[in-house]
Amino acid sequence: MNNSFDLNKILRPHILTLAPYSSARDEYTGHVGIFLDANENPYGSVTGENYNRYPDPYQAEIKQKLSPIKQVSPDRIFLGNGSDEPIDLLTRATCTPGQDRVIILPPTYGMYEVSASIHDVKIDKVSLTNDYQIDTEAVLNAVTPLTKIIWICSPNNPTGNVMQHDAIQTILENFSGLVVVDEAYIDFTNEPSWIGHLDKYPNLVVLQTFSKAWGLAGIRVGMCFASPELIRILNKIKPPYNISLPAQQALLEGLNGIEKKDKMVADILQQRDALTEMLQSLPIVVKIHPTDANFLLVQFEEAKAVMDYLIRETIIVRDRSRVHLCEGCLRITVGTKEENEVLIESLKKFQPRNVIA
Ligand SMILES: Cc1ncc(COP(=O)(O)O)c(C=O)c1O
């Protein structure tokens, strides 16, 4: 190991000494009693549901259930309002505005840059290679004494590919800040998660989400796995009740549905193959990038015109045609069999501009 990682040096000094807000549910954690401590409504909720009580701030029951599923101890789990919340909290915990820096590897998920920009944190961009892999040497060369986080997305959005294991390992071993591996799409690949390496690398942070494979984007719950010390810091700086009661209830139920999740993933993977095959047969398609996610990055002859045409057909895909290294590409989420077939039928009817003219 060539790094000298020390969490206390990575955190902003005032975060280390910060006294967190102590909520009513922090001070008394029992379930039985007459609760006159949190200024709640004792009669119930306007909806008829029992939403009148504040939820568990640390989601202990969920973490107990999630721990064996992810094979990680509960004290290494943080749950956020989507994985966008830990992205924001990690930035805030480590980066002093106007001073510290993060490294991102474009083309990649946009929130790392947005979060840094919101907090006036400087961003160093190190492009992926032409085959969307990490240029390890360039990344390590871009590190400065003020660099706090390197953001790695694997499988990467919007390119869909997994980043090489050796590249991530080299960065973990040679960078003394946090290396965040965002695995939002991990359920769609056969590659193992980096969660299994948390013990070995105290500077490793892994993000996952319930928004994709689990089909729970609407309840907004993301997962962050890291050292117990870092998890304690995230708990200290998060809004006290960041996961709502209905979200916690839905999640507790959802965690019983692993088989359903696995079945949906299998269906999505099957549809991914079918959609790839159908797209390949279209003359307007130039290239379909290999994917380990639930979407395809597809290069078209006339991406912008195809995008506008699909919108007129009320089929909405994501225009990535002006994104670095994705020129001419649209990102297409794998839909149901029926949705994919409607998409393909529409694309078959697309009239290329040069033909209309
Ligand atoms: C790579 C990546 N990370 C994180 C997220 C955000 O997920 P969440 O819904 O958990 O905030 C997304 C959403 O598209 C994503 O693509």
Side-chain angles (χ1 to χ4, degrees):
M1 198 85 65
N2 265 332
N3 75 32
S4 54
F5 177 74
D6 175 354
L7 184 62
N8 293 341
K9 292 201 183 121
I10 286 301
L11 295 170
R12 294 164 71 191
H14 74 285
I15 296 284
L16 263 176
T17 52
L18 180 95
Y21 173 73
S22 173
S23 70
R25 291 295 172 268
D26 278 329
E27 285 168 16
Y28 179 75
T29 52
H31 292 290
V32 206
I34 297 174
F35 288 93
L36 305 176
D37 58 345
N39 301 344
E40 296 152 336
N41 184 328
Y43 290 107
S45 312
V46 283
T47 59
E49 314 276 352
N50 283 329
Y51 292 150
N52 53 322
R53 299 293 176 190
Y54 285 102
D56 174 2
Y58 303 111
Q59 312 95 24
E61 214 179 330
I62 295 171
K63 288 177 187 171
Q64 281 302 335
K65 232 170 161 173
L66 191 56
S67 162
I69 297 172
K70 295 293 174 186
Q71 309 224 311
V72 63
S73 60
D75 63 351
R76 287 183 174 275
I77 307 175
F78 173 86
L79 297 178
N81 182 354
S83 36
D84 287 341
E85 185 175 31
I87 292 172
D88 180 71
L89 293 177
L90 288 163
T91 307
R92 276 200 276 162
T94 58
C95 297
T96 300
Q99 173 190 301
D100 289 332
R101 315 178 78 91
V102 297
I103 292 178
I104 64 167
L105 314 179
T108 194
Y109 181 52
M111 280 309 288
Y112 319 133
E113 179 167 0
V114 170
S115 183
S117 301
I118 289 170
H119 300 299
D120 190 22
V121 168
K122 301 201 172 60
I123 301 154
D124 292 306
K125 297 185 183 183
V126 180
S127 172
L128 294 177
T129 60
N130 285 336
D131 56 354
Y132 299 145
Q133 283 300 326
I134 301 174
D135 183 343
T136 315
E137 206 182 315
V139 171
L140 292 175
N141 281 338
V143 170
T144 75
L146 295 171
T147 307
K148 295 296 181 74
I149 303 178
I150 298 177
W151 295 99
I152 297 172
C153 190
S154 181
N156 187 38
N157 176 4
T159 59
N161 62 296
V162 170
M163 297 299 157
Q164 278 160 1
H165 182 97
D166 288 358
I168 296 180
Q169 184 172 328
T170 305
I171 292 171
L172 277 165
E173 292 185 350
N174 291 282
F175 173 55
S176 301
L178 295 180
V179 179
V180 184
V181 182
D182 184 345
E183 298 183 336
Y185 300 98
I186 192 70
D187 301 84
F188 305 105
T189 172
N190 291 327
E191 290 298 315
S193 164
W194 277 86
I195 288 179
H197 298 273
L198 285 169
D199 275 339
K200 186 165 176 201
Y201 299 110
N203 58 337
L204 172 63
V205 180
V206 177
L207 300 181
Q208 292 187 6
T209 180
F210 286 100
S211 298
K212 312 293 175 184
W214 293 83
L216 292 170
I219 69 166
R220 309 301 304 127
V221 184
M223 297 163 262
C224 174
F225 306 97
S227 67
E229 294 74 28
L230 182 56
I231 297 298
R232 272 199 293 277
I233 295 292
L234 296 180
N235 279 331
K236 197 159 97 158
I237 64 173
K238 79 184 179 75
Y241 304 109
N242 60 329
I243 311 288
S244 75
L245 186 57
Q248 293 199 33
Q249 287 169 344
L251 197 50
L252 275 174
E253 194 190 323
L255 288 172
N256 295 330
I258 297 185
E259 279 163 23
K260 174 145 195 215
K261 185 258 299 174
D262 290 343
K263 167 82 173 69
M264 290 194 289
V265 169
D267 288 347
I268 290 169
L269 295 184
Q270 195 184 14
Q271 287 311 312
R272 185 174 80 184
D273 289 347
L275 180 61
T276 306
E277 206 170 297
M278 291 189 287
L279 284 165
Q280 258 155 2
S281 68
L282 300 179
I284 55 170
V285 169
V286 178
K287 180 172 183 180
I288 304 168
H289 290 274
T291 184
D292 266 299
N294 64 339
F295 57 81
L296 300 171
L297 186 68
V298 185
Q299 189 184 351
F300 287 88
E301 294 272 4
E302 299 174 44
K304 182 75 180 73
V306 173
M307 177 80 199
D308 293 344
Y309 164 77
L310 286 177
I311 288 176
R312 288 197 298 278
E313 299 279 300
T314 62
I315 298 173
I316 324 301
V317 299
R318 196 90 151 107
D319 185 1
R320 302 284 83 179
S321 63
R322 286 174 303 274
V323 170
H324 171 65
L325 293 184
C326 300
E327 288 79 7
C329 290
L330 303 180
R331 195 194 67 195
I332 304 175
T333 306
V334 177
T336 62
K337 184 171 189 292
E338 294 70 29
E339 288 171 335
N340 298 336
E341 283 168 2
V342 172
L343 167 73
I344 295 296
E345 285 317 305
S346 291
L347 285 174
K348 279 184 184 160
K349 290 188 218 124
F350 172 74
Q351 300 280 321
R353 283 239 173 86
N354 48 18
V355 173
I356 299 168

